Structures are given as C-alpha cells and as structure tokens.
C-alpha cells in the first residue's frame, strides 16, 4: 500500500497549477474622482477594487436604499399613510406633501427612489413605525401619545415634531438593526432621508464598502428592483385630486445593459454620491461612490461608475472543487482501510487574470473508525491575492464502521 506522506506534494502541485493560471498583480482603484469608492462581487462580498473603502463618511440620499428595504420588509404595501407637520417641513428635494395629506405607501416608494424626496422618506419612516407598533404591543412604551393602534394613521397630522422624531427613531432603529444583520462594519443611521445629522453616539455615516454591501442585499428583493427600475411614474394622493409626476434620476439605469438598480445622493457635506448594481450572466457587481465631487461636477459619478463597471467586466466566475475531487485517507480499526473525503460543495467566485489564487488543503494523515459521513474531516481554503476568499468542507463519501470483534481476533491469529 502506498504511503500517504506524499499528500503535501499533491497539495503543492495543485497550488502551482492554479497559480499558473493567474498572474499575481494587485488591481488598484485608479483614475477616479471619488474620494471613497469600491467595486465588489455581490455574491461573495469580495472587494475587487477599492479606495478608502472602509472610511466612515456621510452618505446623503444613498441612505434611502436602506429606508426602502426596511419599509418593504415591515409594512403592507397598501397601507394608507398620513403626512405629519414634521415630514412636511423637510428641506428640498421635496414632493411638497402638505400636513394631513394621505397616500398609499407603495406610491411614496417611487417618490423616495426616483426623485429622492426628503419629505416622502419621513412620511414612510413615521408611518412604517406606526404600522409596526400596531402589530407589536411590546414596542409601544415610547409612544404614549398614540391613542389608537387600529392601523388608522390620520392622527399623525396632529402630532408635534418631537413625537414625530420618536417614530422616526423607531424606524431608524430598524435600519441600524438591519445593518448589524447584514454585517455592515461601520454604518450608523440617524435620518431616513440621508440629511446630515449627529447625536450623542455618532454621526449619520457609512463606508463605501458597507454601502455596496447594502445594495447587494437590497437587489435580492424583487419589489426593490421593480421600484428602482421604474423610469417614470405618476402618483396621486388618496383623494385623487393631486397628481405628482416622478422621473428616475439614475442616468445609468438600463437593465438590458446590466445596470439593474441605483441611487444618487448629495449634501454639502457628503458631496455627490452614487450606489448601483450591475448584473449579467457572468457576474453581479455593486459599486459605491462617496464624495465624488461637488458642484458643478455632478457628472463625475457617472464616469466613475462606468470606469468601475468596465473594470468589473474583467472578472469571470471561477469554479473550484466539485464532488469529482477525492482525497483518500487511511482508516485504522475500520471495516475498510481507506476513506474518500469529498468537498461538500463546489465554490464559485469572481477572479481575473491579475489575481493570484492559492489553495491550502487541510486534511488528517489518518482517520480512526468509526467514520461518519455527516462529519467534517478537513477543509479546502482558497486565497485570492493572499486574502481568504472561500472555504470548503471535506466530508467522508460514506460512513465506515469499526471492524467487528471477530475480525480483530482473525487478524491477530493470522498476522
């Protein structure tokens, strides 16, 4: 029987074969106007190109992608919402809703995303918070000013600014919880519209990397995609008397050419900002640009986005270690002398000719029976440009029981 001490040689050969395919050159984010930028593989979250991508800065109306996804996930799309005096007081850009005016919340989603109306963001936040309070009595300790929880939002026309801010705080709390859930590392929401703000904890901020990861999460929601892909729409209040024409400000939007979603933003502090998603049959990319120029340079974000999309198209899906890969391990005290370890899954991720891909295989020299097919006995670790990319578990192809006592005696007699 051949010795399995040559496993290290096999592993080395595998690594060298993979490395021969790729040239170890690190891609740099160059030629961009944006101070903070990132291009990521949406499926894995891997950074393909970045510049100051983990620096916390203001994000302006790119905030609204999180506002929309929280509302979509927590509120009935046919809920009738009411405009408060606080919401009506928001600065431009505005829908110009007046206190007491009512809408179907789903219509306001288009106002939020196509025209980026700041008043609509607050209407959505207050009313979605109220809807959640109607469903969850345990959350009502902060809102003694609400006399009914029967899904009638008309009382919002009579509350004061401080009471409105309590409802907004409940909603932004959901935004921050979602940030934790999707593993954003340095994002904090204070406003639902992205207007600059500070509190005793921090300031309203994100990073380019976190913003791109947020978009990667949002595009998994079909309603989010449908709304953000709408080119134009006319909405009205619930009386039908007042109509509002909305036009999408995402100049690059073109699902047929790959740009499937996006959101712009601007404040004096944040500068011009943009986040978008690109998808074709080979890849899904998310791009975030923060502080991408100030007036009059509002078009910098489009050129930067196109630059990064072109860069992303150099990456293609690479597939590694399907179930055809087998590693043979000696088994002691087992019914069979050897065990086949196989990957429990194949992995795919984006790589380009400039990437250096290395593989490290961690398997034991021997196994002792019993061997359980459900148990993990090794791992395959894939590194791209010396950074951990993916890991695959190795499991036994079949369970191997211990040798019976009779076989042990037989082996002893005839050894």
């Amino acid at each position: 029987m051949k010795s399995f001490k040559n496993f290290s040689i096999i592993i080395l050969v595998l690594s060298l074969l993979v490395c021969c395919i790729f040239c170890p050159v690190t891609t740099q984010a160059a030629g961009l106007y944006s101070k903070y930028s990132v291009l990521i593989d949406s499926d894995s979250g891997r950074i393909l190109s970045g510049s100051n991508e983990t620096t916390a800065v203001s994000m302006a109306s790119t905030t609204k992608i999180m506002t929309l996804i929280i509302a979509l996930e927590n509120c009935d799309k046919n809920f009738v919402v009411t405009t408060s005096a606080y919401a009506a007081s928001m600065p431009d850009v505005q829908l110009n809703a007046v206190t007491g005016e009512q809408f179907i919340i789903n219509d306001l989603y288009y106002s939020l995303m196509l025209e980026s109306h700041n008043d609509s963001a607050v209407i959505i936040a207050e009313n979605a918070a109220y809807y959640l309070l109607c469903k969850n009595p345990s959350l009502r300790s902060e809102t003694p000013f609400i006399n009914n929880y029967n899904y009638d939002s008309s009382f919002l026309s009579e509350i004061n600014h401080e009471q409105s801010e309590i409802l907004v705080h409940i909603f932004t709390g959901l935004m921050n919880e979602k940030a934790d859930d999707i593993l954003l590392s340095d994002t904090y929401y204070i406003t639902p519209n992205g207007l600059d703000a500070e509190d005793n904890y921090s300031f309203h901020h994100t990073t380019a990397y976190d913003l791109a990861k947020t978009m990667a999460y949002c595009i998994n929601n079909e309603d989010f995609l449908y709304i953000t892909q709408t080119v134009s729409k006319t909405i009205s209040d619930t009386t039908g008397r007042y109509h509002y024409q909305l036009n999408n400000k995402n100049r690059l939007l073109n699902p047929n050419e790959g740009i499937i979603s996006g959101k712009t933003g601007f404040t004096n502090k944040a500068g011009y900002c943009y986040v978008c998603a690109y998808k074709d049959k080979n890849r899904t990319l998310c791009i975030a640009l923060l502080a991408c120029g100030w007036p009059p340079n509002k078009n910098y974000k489009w050129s930067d986005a196109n630059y990064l999309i072109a860069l992303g198209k150099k990456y293609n899906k690479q597939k590694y270690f399907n179930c055809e890969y087998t590693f043979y391990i000696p088994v002691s005290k087992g019914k069979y002398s050897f065990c086949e370890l196989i990957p429990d899954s194949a992995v795919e991720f984006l790589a380009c000719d400039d990437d250096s891909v290395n593989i490290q295989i961690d398997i034991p020299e021997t196994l002792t029976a019993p061997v359980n097919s459900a148990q993990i006995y090794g791992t395959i670790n894939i590194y791209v440009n010396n950074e951990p990319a993916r890991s695959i578990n190795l499991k036994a192809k079949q369970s191997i029981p211990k040798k019976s006592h009779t076989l042990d005696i037989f082996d002893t007699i005839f050894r």
Side-chain angles (χ1 to χ4, degrees):
M1 195 60 63
K2 292 184 179 179
S3 168
F4 282 82
K5 292 183 179 179
N6 60 355
F7 280 171
S8 59
I9 297 174
I10 296 172
I11 294 168
L12 178 61
V13 171
L14 280 170
S15 297
L16 289 173
L17 285 173
V18 174
C19 287
C20 286
I21 303 174
F22 301 96
C23 178
V25 179
T26 302
T27 301
Q28 299 292 326
L32 297 177
Y33 294 105
S34 178
K35 290 185 177 181
Y36 314 93
S37 66
V38 77
L39 165 71
I40 70 168
D41 172 8
S42 177
D43 295 324
S44 69
R46 179 191 163 210
I47 297 173
L48 306 180
S49 177
S51 177
N52 304 311
E53 69 274 10
T54 59
T55 302
V57 292
S58 300
M59 58 180 133
S61 286
T62 59
T63 299
K64 289 166 182 162
I65 65 172
M66 182 65 90
T67 302
L68 177 58
I69 201 69
I70 294 300
L72 287 172
E73 292 180 349
N74 290 279
C75 192
D76 187 293
K77 66 180 181 180
N78 294 313
F79 185 55
V80 176
V81 300
T82 303
T83 305
S84 70
Y86 178 67
S89 73
M90 290 296 110
D92 284 339
V93 178
Q94 285 185 300
L95 180 66
N96 291 315
V98 298
T99 304
E101 191 171 10
Q102 293 187 315
F103 301 87
I104 302 298
I105 195 169
N106 193 69
D107 287 340
L108 287 189
Y109 295 156
Y110 295 91
S111 168
L112 178 78
M113 300 306 291
L114 275 59
E115 294 279 359
S116 199
H117 291 142
N118 291 322
D119 50 353
S120 294
V122 176
I123 297 169
I124 290 168
E126 289 184 56
N127 283 269
Y130 169 64
Y131 183 89
L132 191 65
L133 291 168
C134 291
K135 291 176 59 178
N136 298 279
S138 62
L139 303 177
R140 299 173 186 174
S141 60
E142 296 181 62
T143 55
F145 55 90
I146 298 178
N147 296 320
N148 80 81
Y149 291 96
N150 59 4
Y151 299 95
D152 179 1
S153 66
S154 58
F155 75 95
L156 291 174
S157 64
E158 301 175 357
I159 65 174
N160 59 41
H161 283 204
E162 182 180 347
Q163 292 166 338
S164 286
E165 288 172 348
I166 292 172
L167 289 171
V168 169
H169 180 71
I170 291 171
F171 186 86
T172 56
L174 295 177
M175 296 170 70
N176 287 314
E177 287 178 12
K178 180 61 71 175
D180 290 338
D181 290 343
I182 63 177
L183 304 180
L184 305 187
S185 61
D186 199 355
T187 294
Y188 183 60
Y189 298 104
I190 300 175
T191 68
N193 47 26
L195 294 176
D196 295 316
E198 296 184 23
D199 62 18
N200 292 332
Y201 177 75
S202 187
F203 70 105
H204 186 88
H205 69 265
T206 192
T207 69
Y209 183 45
D210 279 2
L211 182 57
K213 286 177 66 177
T214 305
M215 178 58 87
Y217 174 81
C218 290
I219 60 176
N220 291 312
N221 186 293
E222 291 183 3
D223 291 328
F224 180 94
L225 282 178
Y226 185 84
I227 293 163
T228 57
Q229 288 177 4
T230 300
V231 175
S232 64
K233 188 175 179 67
T234 300
I235 66 170
S236 63
D237 67 352
T238 55
T239 69
R241 294 174 57 195
Y242 300 102
H243 302 275
Y244 302 87
Q245 180 61 38
L246 310 171
N247 297 295
N248 201 320
K249 296 301 185 287
N250 180 9
R251 184 188 296 180
L252 298 187
L253 178 66
N254 190 336
N256 293 329
E257 297 296 327
I259 303 295
I260 60 171
S261 187
K263 183 71 189 75
T264 59
F266 175 81
T267 65
N268 290 331
K269 182 177 180 182
Y272 291 111
C273 304
Y274 184 54
V275 58
C276 70
Y278 171 92
K279 183 177 179 66
D280 60 27
K281 64 180 181 180
N282 295 316
R283 59 192 74 82
T284 304
L285 309 168
C286 285
I287 291 166
L289 305 166
L290 298 169
C292 191
W294 274 260
N297 300 308
K298 66 186 303 181
N299 292 323
Y300 282 176
K301 59 183 178 290
W302 308 128
S303 61
D304 277 10
N306 282 323
Y307 177 92
L308 289 176
I309 291 166
L311 179 61
K313 289 180 180 179
K314 296 179 181 179
Y315 289 80
N316 291 286
K317 283 186 178 179
Q318 308 292 332
K319 187 172 184 177
Y320 293 90
F321 294 102
N322 57 30
C323 60
E324 296 175 359
Y325 285 85
T326 301
F327 301 88
Y328 292 89
I329 306 294
V331 177
S332 63
K333 300 181 180 181
K335 183 178 179 180
Y336 307 110
S337 300
F338 294 91
C339 172
E340 294 180 65
L341 295 185
I342 60 173
D344 64 355
S345 64
V347 297
E348 290 184 337
F349 59 88
L350 295 182
C352 74
D353 292 343
D354 293 336
D355 284 327
S356 170
V357 180
N358 294 283
I359 296 171
Q360 176 183 321
I361 302 173
D362 183 11
I363 52 178
E365 291 186 2
T366 62
L367 293 173
T368 301
V371 175
N372 187 337
S373 62
Q375 186 173 334
I376 297 170
Y377 290 102
T379 56
I380 301 170
N381 298 304
I382 301 175
Y383 296 83
V384 180
N385 303 327
N386 297 319
E387 295 290 332
R390 302 294 291 273
S391 290
I392 314 167
N393 294 324
L394 292 168
K395 295 183 177 180
K397 188 173 182 179
Q398 66 182 74
S399 296
I400 300 177
K402 293 181 70 173
K403 282 195 295 188
S404 69
H405 182 62
T406 302
L407 288 175
D408 285 338
I409 295 173
F410 185 83
D411 286 347
T412 301
I413 293 173
F414 292 97
R415 181 172 296 161

